[in-house]
Amino acid sequence: MTAETILTNALLVLPDRVEPGTLVLREGRIAEMQPGRSHAPGALDLEGDHLIPGVIDVHTDNLERQVQPRSLARWPSRSAFLSHDAQTAAAGVTTVLDALCLGDLGFDAERTQTFLDGVADLDALVPTGLLKSEHYLHLRCELPAADLMPLVEPVAAHPAVRMVSLMDHTPGGGQYADIERYRQMRLRGGKAVEEVDRRIRELAEQRARLRGPQRRALLDLFAGRGVALASHDDWHEDEIAENAADGVLISEFPVSMPAAQAARRHGMRIIAGAPNIVRGGSHSGNVAAADLVREGLVDVFASDYVPPAMIEAVWRSVAENGLSLPAAVATITAAPADMLGMADRGRIAPGLRGDLVRIRSLGAIPVVRAVWRAGERVA
């Protein structure tokens, strides 16, 4: 006899409505969806809590935060990966794209080691079956970095790569359009004035020399691989037009309202950071994600650097930004599934994976009470 799990007395958040009901999980999938309560022996009473699809996070830097919990304290990578996995699952994230940076612009040399270790740890841990969330790779490619292509090429064909973002963190553009703000950030990080000023000059030269050729090399390298391509920290309409013309149809974290509007005109899908919603604004002084939501300019929320922010951003978008609960939940479930071509998850429907999150509201704050991945309780 096939083991099954019955989840009853739940508020099912479906693509177009919320309704009381029961789910039957069998062989890792949603086998049945029934209205009302089940009185079957062994049915798990969810006590009227919401039940949403498992969260899909297309961009999280959380692994970096576990590897380096303090600026001068580097944690063993395998232990850090397991901690990261446990935290994502506890936040309701059943599918996660670990966002790893490729390319050093002179201030983040340790990120290269985090990338190399992260891929090795993923390869070692997936076969064990011990990971709670399902992990994939999001390659964050720093276009002006001299070491970019030697890092990208060996991993380009890795089966876990599902997303590639084209980044340019040169001061003077994107997230760092305000050069003085960038300069002060580096000085607060303990760098000497002479080193920061020299590196800013060097980065401008590197950008002029390397951004174009390496951007084209990446586009050629990932053409036809079925990998989602995104531009990162969009700030200028000309760059958005260039990306759209080259088939880069995802705008990740646009930094201004005009940039997001331009992305929408070009038919691009738009990703916003969930922490921006929870905090009530950008930590970098850029456009508030809530304003983008109210203008219909957000398709997907990503955790960026705080995995629990995703579900909280959904609840806040319902309470404060005019979204219905099904529409808000879709930003962290159905929409990222569609973006990544993952047709087997992201919605509550018979035949799809049993990736589910039980949530109870504590005032305005959603509390994750249980998580199932492929029908198995993981948190």
Side-chain angles (χ1 to χ4, degrees):
M1 177 180 294
T2 301
E4 66 178 20
T5 301
I6 302 174
L7 307 177
T8 194
N9 191 20
L11 287 175
L12 306 179
V13 182
L14 305 176
D16 58 348
R17 66 193 187 279
V18 179
E19 69 174 32
T22 297
L23 292 184
V24 179
L25 307 180
R26 192 178 299 126
E27 295 182 347
R29 296 188 175 268
I30 300 171
E32 301 176 39
M33 188 171 69
Q34 305 164 353
R37 298 186 62 157
S38 169
H39 298 286
L44 178 61
D45 185 351
L46 298 195
E47 302 173 337
D49 291 344
H50 285 92
L51 196 62
I52 72 169
V55 174
I56 301 171
D57 191 355
V58 300
H59 178 136
T60 184
D61 303 340
N62 190 57
L63 177 58
E64 290 184 347
R65 300 175 70 81
Q66 305 314 307
V67 168
Q68 201 155 5
R70 292 191 177 180
S71 59
L72 299 178
R74 190 169 183 90
W75 209 253
S77 66
R78 192 67 50 88
S79 176
F81 199 107
L82 289 168
S83 294
H84 160 60
D85 174 62
Q87 291 176 20
T88 57
V93 178
T94 53
T95 302
V96 54
L97 271 60
D98 299 320
L100 300 175
C101 289
L102 288 76
D104 174 28
L105 293 186
F107 294 106
D108 301 299
E110 293 210 20
R111 279 182 153 179
T112 295
Q113 191 60 50
T114 300
F115 158 68
L116 296 171
D117 288 344
V119 175
D121 291 339
L122 180 68
D123 288 340
L125 289 170
V126 167
T128 70
L130 294 175
L131 294 177
K132 298 174 181 294
S133 299
E134 185 169 7
H135 291 257
Y136 294 95
L137 293 172
H138 173 169
L139 305 182
R140 304 180 61 202
C141 299
E142 197 67 74
L143 296 178
D147 58 345
L148 172 61
M149 295 312 297
L151 291 171
V152 172
E153 288 166 348
V155 78
H158 195 292
V161 175
R162 290 300 182 98
M163 189 168 174
V164 172
S165 54
L166 309 181
M167 304 195 305
D168 182 354
H169 285 114
T170 306
Q175 181 179 347
Y176 300 126
D178 186 335
I179 294 181
E180 183 55 29
R181 186 184 182 115
Y182 177 89
R183 184 172 180 272
Q184 292 302 319
M185 177 189 71
R186 293 305 184 189
L187 292 176
R188 286 194 303 272
K191 302 296 183 181
V193 172
E194 297 78 9
E195 179 187 0
V196 172
D197 290 344
R198 173 182 56 80
R199 193 59 189 138
I200 288 175
R201 292 192 298 271
E202 291 173 348
L203 286 174
E205 183 278 328
Q206 273 185 234
R207 183 182 194 277
R209 177 168 50 88
L210 294 176
R211 178 191 178 277
Q214 297 200 145
R215 179 180 179 278
R216 175 47 53 191
L218 284 173
L219 292 173
D220 291 343
L221 184 62
F222 288 102
R225 292 185 185 268
V227 173
L229 294 175
S231 55
H232 182 81
D233 287 351
D234 292 323
W235 71 294
H236 196 281
E237 294 185 30
D238 290 346
E239 289 183 335
I240 290 170
E242 176 190 35
N243 287 322
D246 286 332
V248 180
L249 299 179
I250 301 170
S251 175
E252 181 183 55
F253 308 152
V255 301
S256 69
M257 181 67 73
Q261 291 168 335
R264 181 63 82 221
R265 287 196 299 273
H266 283 281
M268 301 176 79
R269 300 186 186 189
I270 300 171
I271 302 171
N276 190 311
I277 293 286
V278 176
R279 294 182 67 255
S282 166
H283 73 281
S284 302
N286 298 315
V287 68
D291 292 339
L292 298 181
V293 171
R294 286 189 284 268
E295 294 296 319
L297 297 174
V298 174
D299 300 298
V300 170
F301 284 133
S303 77
D304 196 2
Y305 55 96
V306 184
M310 296 184 70
I311 292 176
E312 188 167 349
V314 163
W315 255 244
R316 285 180 176 267
S317 293
V318 173
E320 301 170 6
N321 302 322
L323 294 187
S324 69
L325 184 58
V329 166
T331 64
I332 60 172
T333 57
D338 291 343
M339 179 184 291
L340 299 171
M342 294 180 171
D344 63 342
R345 67 197 73 186
R347 297 171 178 83
I348 292 179
L352 297 189
R353 281 174 42 130
D355 293 353
L356 300 161
V357 186
R358 177 186 180 181
I359 300 169
R360 179 170 296 181
S361 296
L362 179 65
I365 299 177
V367 178
V368 173
R369 302 194 67 201
V371 183
W372 293 263
R373 178 168 74 89
E376 179 181 353
R377 177 84 182 264
V378 293

